[in-house]
Amino acid sequence: MQINPVWQEAFRQELANNLGRVSNNFTRQLVMKDLWEECIMYSCDMCLHYYKTGPFKGLLPDTIDNVTYNVCMALKSMVPEFVESQHQVVFDKVKELLKDPNTYETLQDSIDNYYGK
């Protein structure tokens, strides 16, 4: 997986905003499940964005891994308790959700609902 500091910095800001929303402006304590869900949704959202606007139609497994890895590392930089051993939960779910392009529209709807769009 490729470390991409530019992505991580951009992801970090958006993740902070998203977690603020999920935690009601940090008045509700977040649990690890909240962090997993945020990483999963955000990784899928970024991958679908790449799928729609990238240089070619499709998502390579390396692209999914690179986006997910950098999302996890961005969150880890903000929440040190989100250790690398927990990242596998995120990787597994993101790969599962993105395995079939025929479900991408439904997945995008789920992501939009999660973010309240």
Side-chain angles (χ1 to χ4, degrees):
M1 285 162 271
Q2 293 179 339
I3 297 170
N4 190 320
V6 174
W7 285 5
Q8 286 185 32
E9 185 57 37
F11 294 166
R12 194 173 5 264
Q13 183 59 49
E14 290 196 16
L15 289 166
N17 291 339
N18 294 342
L19 290 173
R21 182 191 48 76
V22 169
S23 66
N24 195 27
N25 226 9
F26 297 103
T27 60
R28 181 181 76 80
Q29 183 175 353
L30 295 170
V31 296
M32 200 55 63
K33 182 182 175 290
D34 296 322
L35 301 179
W36 292 341
E37 185 172 20
E38 176 58 31
C39 280
I40 290 165
M41 289 296 175
Y42 190 75
S43 294
C44 286
D45 197 24
M46 292 299 97
C47 286
L48 290 176
H49 177 73
Y50 181 88
Y51 175 78
K52 294 172 193 170
T53 62
F56 61 92
K57 193 77 166 170
L59 279 172
L60 298 173
D62 284 349
T63 303
I64 295 169
D65 285 346
N66 286 332
V67 168
T68 304
Y69 174 76
N70 283 285
V71 168
C72 287
M73 295 310 289
L75 185 63
K76 183 181 184 322
S77 73
M78 297 183 318
V79 184
E81 296 81 11
F82 186 64
V83 295
E84 290 184 37
S85 63
Q86 297 167 345
H87 299 183
Q88 196 60 47
V89 172
V90 175
F91 274 88
D92 291 346
K93 189 63 176 181
V94 169
K95 287 178 185 180
E96 176 189 329
L97 290 170
L98 292 171
K99 69 182 174 191
D100 182 4
N102 294 317
T103 64
Y104 287 0
E105 188 174 323
T106 302
L107 176 58
Q108 187 66 62
D109 289 343
S110 295
I111 293 165
D112 291 346
N113 285 337
Y114 172 78
Y115 288 122
K117 293 180 182 176

